[in-house]
Amino acid sequence: QVQLVQSGAEVKKPGSSVTVSCKASGGTFGGNAISWVRQAPGQGLEWMGMISPMFGTTNYAQSFQGRFTITADTSTNTAFLEVINLRSDDTAVYFCARGGGVADPTFDSWGQGTLVAVSS
Amino acid sequence: DIVMTQSPDSLAVSLGERATINCKSSQSVFYRSSNQNHLAWYQQKPGQPPKLLISWASTRAFGVPDRFTGSGSGTDFTLTISSLQAEDVAVYYCQQYYSPPLTFGGGTKVEIK
């Protein structure tokens, strides 16, 4: 059973950048898509976008176009979320999840979440 | 974008009683070509990631107890917990995967009365 293991919590200053990683432990991504989902403190779930590691294709929600970049390294079975020019309202828990693609649209496996706190 | 609206925002139910959560989509999420509703339900307990409960509106994920039932079609969907257990205290989300961007409902918090 492949598990998704994310990098640890980050504290960042406004205007800086952060990269969160998501590694498939015990296996590979295979043909699955990997999505990123944001959850602000006390709020609901927001799909940010996805990548198909096999093909390298991405799809972003409009709210997450520009400052957010999703990439994947198939040699290490790791997906990444980079956020540049961080703002205070980027403070949230960021989850990676398997799924969100055409062939695997539901999120059947999730990382543990990574808290990114943005504060001066 | 397809807007998902859940109701109620929260509910308190006695142990062993039924809990019903509603989810309405701003447009139909039913695909005629596949005869499927592109609707999923997730459970999120405090401090944990969400867990897939139901896909295709009514298909329970592996290992999900049969007290969880998904129903509905088109734009109106329901998640029913037939006999609430203490471990069911959580926030429940519906999600459409009919068309990107994939969107979630605002969540329904289920507590014990």
Side-chain angles (χ1 to χ4, degrees):
Chain A
Q1 177 78 357
V2 175
Q3 288 188 312
L4 300 179
V5 181
Q6 297 183 223
S7 50
E10 304 265 10
V11 180
K12 293 291 184 179
K13 299 266 189 226
S16 66
S17 301
V18 69
T19 298
V20 181
S21 67
C22 169
K23 183 174 176 59
S25 174
T28 70
F29 288 137
N32 293 110
I34 297 293
S35 288
W36 288 91
V37 175
R38 185 166 83 171
Q39 187 168 39
Q43 301 301 308
L45 304 169
E46 195 173 13
W47 180 76
M48 303 172 66
M50 55 73 68
I51 187 166
S52 170
M54 178 176 290
F55 301 106
T57 53
T58 56
N59 188 7
Y60 295 90
Q62 188 166 13
S63 299
F64 296 98
Q65 291 178 357
R67 296 190 300 117
F68 302 82
T69 304
I70 299 171
T71 58
D73 180 346
T74 55
S75 68
T76 60
N77 294 297
T78 306
F80 302 92
L81 170 69
E82 181 189 23
V83 187
I84 64 171
N85 194 18
L86 282 161
R87 310 186 305 222
S88 58
D89 61 358
D90 291 321
T91 294
V93 175
Y94 292 82
F95 294 100
C96 63
R98 187 173 70 177
V102 174
D104 54 348
T106 57
F107 306 122
D108 63 355
S109 181
W110 294 70
Q112 80 275 22
T114 297
L115 173 63
V116 175
V118 184
S119 175
S120 54
Chain B
D1 298 1
I2 298 177
V3 177
M4 308 300 290
T5 303
Q6 287 183 232
S7 62
D9 292 336
S10 64
L11 74 161
V13 176
S14 300
L15 288 172
E17 295 301 305
R18 180 186 301 260
T20 302
I21 300 167
N22 300 301
C23 173
K24 188 174 184 67
S25 56
S26 61
Q27 67 183 74
S28 176
V29 297
F30 177 74
Y31 254 123
R32 292 185 187 278
S33 59
S34 62
N35 198 36
Q36 295 273 23
N37 287 284
H38 289 219
L39 189 285
W41 289 95
Y42 299 84
Q43 174 194 63
Q44 187 179 30
K45 297 180 179 180
Q48 296 185 18
K51 172 188 173 184
L52 178 65
L53 291 178
I54 287 171
S55 58
W56 308 112
S58 61
T59 301
R60 275 187 293 273
F62 180 78
V64 173
D66 60 6
R67 64 180 180 272
F68 291 92
T69 301
S71 62
S73 184
T75 61
D76 293 281
F77 301 90
T78 300
L79 175 68
T80 303
I81 309 172
S82 60
S83 176
L84 192 74
Q85 305 299 303
E87 62 265 31
D88 301 334
V89 169
V91 179
Y92 293 83
Y93 296 93
C94 61
Q95 177 238 332
Q96 67 81 19
Y97 47 96
Y98 180 87
S99 67
L102 309 181
T103 49
F104 292 89
T108 296
K109 186 174 185 178
V110 174
E111 300 173 304
I112 305 295
K113 184 188 290 184

